[in-house]
Amino acid sequence: MKKLVVLSGAGMSAESGISTFRDTGGLWEKYPIEDVATPDGFFKNPDLVLRFYNDRRKQLMSVKPNKGHELVAELEKDFDVTVITQNVDNLHERAGSKHIIHLHGELTKACSSRNPNDSRYIKELIPEEYEIKVGDKAGDGSQLRPYIVWFGEAVPRIETAVQFVKQADILVIIGTSLNVYPAAGLLNYAPDHAEIYLIDPHEVQVSSSKTIEVIRKGASEGMAELLARFRK
């Protein structure tokens, strides 16, 4: 069975109604990055940061996976699929994808603020207890924080992602500007024989010598077209 790797970004979840960060009207226009997405911002104003991510979790509960997510899950009928996502939502999981690498963390999890990647203190938040408040403690006694990779922090799962891309027969890139590193660099690890597809309704500037087939459509339409091609 061929190995297929999906690299998904914000455009994957935009059709579900998840607010993107970088687009016009996106979250970064309303909240400065340094206030809500850096360790320093959390240190200065933990209450603001916790409320920001509590709001993101509430929004996540009100949306559903879109057709694009469902079609990515459907690829598993024909391929050995690994999804590498820059998104922190759980829509790939909810659509039925089985093997997902979250590069930038997971919104539905909380962790220690002393050592965010210590697996002993990472916990899944159940929907009834989706809020993290100042004073909520991790198992090591530190303040609980969102299990999110903030700007300035290492991306702990990038090496794992690299290994899967290196083995890919097919790489499908969906809804990412390929501007955010180290995730954007994953394309360079695809083997020479790999087929590479890029699904995005916008023009994406790709600095790579690799041959890339572009499908200028949104996630759902683009995935439907790709699946039809695969099944011809």
Side-chain angles (χ1 to χ4, degrees):
M1 195 179 262
K2 284 189 174 180
K3 293 182 185 296
L4 186 151
V5 173
V6 173
L7 174 61
S8 70
M12 182 87 233
S13 297
E15 288 176 38
S16 292
I18 294 276
S19 302
T20 60
F21 287 89
R22 292 168 187 279
D23 288 346
T24 305
L27 289 168
W28 291 150
E29 285 188 5
K30 300 170 190 166
Y31 299 91
I33 289 172
E34 57 273 16
D35 288 354
V36 295
T38 62
D40 196 41
F42 183 65
F43 179 73
K44 285 179 181 167
N45 193 342
D47 187 55
L48 171 72
V49 175
L50 293 177
R51 276 190 284 117
F52 175 81
Y53 290 98
N54 289 341
D55 287 346
R56 304 282 75 70
R57 267 182 234 104
K58 267 186 215 148
Q59 184 197 28
L60 182 55
M61 288 173 73
S62 69
V63 303
K64 292 178 178 163
N66 59 58
K67 190 68 179 170
H69 291 107
E70 290 165 2
L71 293 176
V72 166
E74 206 173 299
L75 288 168
E76 294 185 13
K77 292 177 183 172
D78 304 303
F79 302 98
D80 177 1
V81 180
T82 300
V83 176
I84 300 168
T85 186
Q86 295 168 264
N87 300 333
V88 295
D89 60 60
N90 60 1
L91 296 178
H92 278 299
E93 284 89 341
R94 284 160 58 188
S97 288
K98 298 287 188 295
H99 186 215
I100 302 153
I101 298 169
H102 281 272
L103 289 180
H104 297 155
E106 297 176 67
L107 190 52
T108 57
K109 291 182 179 178
C111 62
S112 154
S113 52
R114 186 177 300 137
N115 188 352
N117 298 310
D118 190 327
S119 58
R120 293 174 298 173
Y121 308 122
I122 297 170
K123 70 170 197 173
E124 185 80 36
L125 298 167
I126 57 173
E128 306 83 73
E129 297 171 13
Y130 254 10
E131 292 203 347
I132 306 174
K133 301 182 184 72
V134 173
D136 291 348
K137 296 283 193 282
D140 62 357
S142 70
Q143 168 67 44
L144 267 182
R145 59 163 266 188
Y147 182 52
I148 302 288
V149 177
W150 286 327
F151 288 92
E153 293 184 320
V155 178
R157 303 204 68 193
I158 192 69
E159 288 304 325
T160 306
V162 165
Q163 295 312 311
F164 280 98
V165 174
K166 279 182 174 178
Q167 297 171 44
D169 298 301
I170 301 169
L171 175 63
V172 182
I173 302 164
I174 310 172
T176 171
S177 61
L178 293 175
N179 281 334
V180 180
Y181 285 84
L186 287 171
L187 169 63
N188 300 320
Y189 292 97
D192 291 339
H193 73 268
E195 297 172 37
I196 303 174
Y197 300 90
L198 172 66
I199 297 171
D200 203 290
H202 310 294
E203 188 172 347
V204 178
Q205 298 294 330
V206 183
S207 53
S208 173
S209 57
K210 294 185 183 295
T211 302
I212 300 171
E213 185 142 356
V214 178
I215 299 174
R216 285 285 294 272
K217 292 182 176 176
S220 297
E221 273 190 76
M223 272 304 303
E225 182 176 316
L226 187 60
L227 215 57
R229 287 194 204 182
F230 285 158
R231 289 179 175 169
K232 264 184 183 171

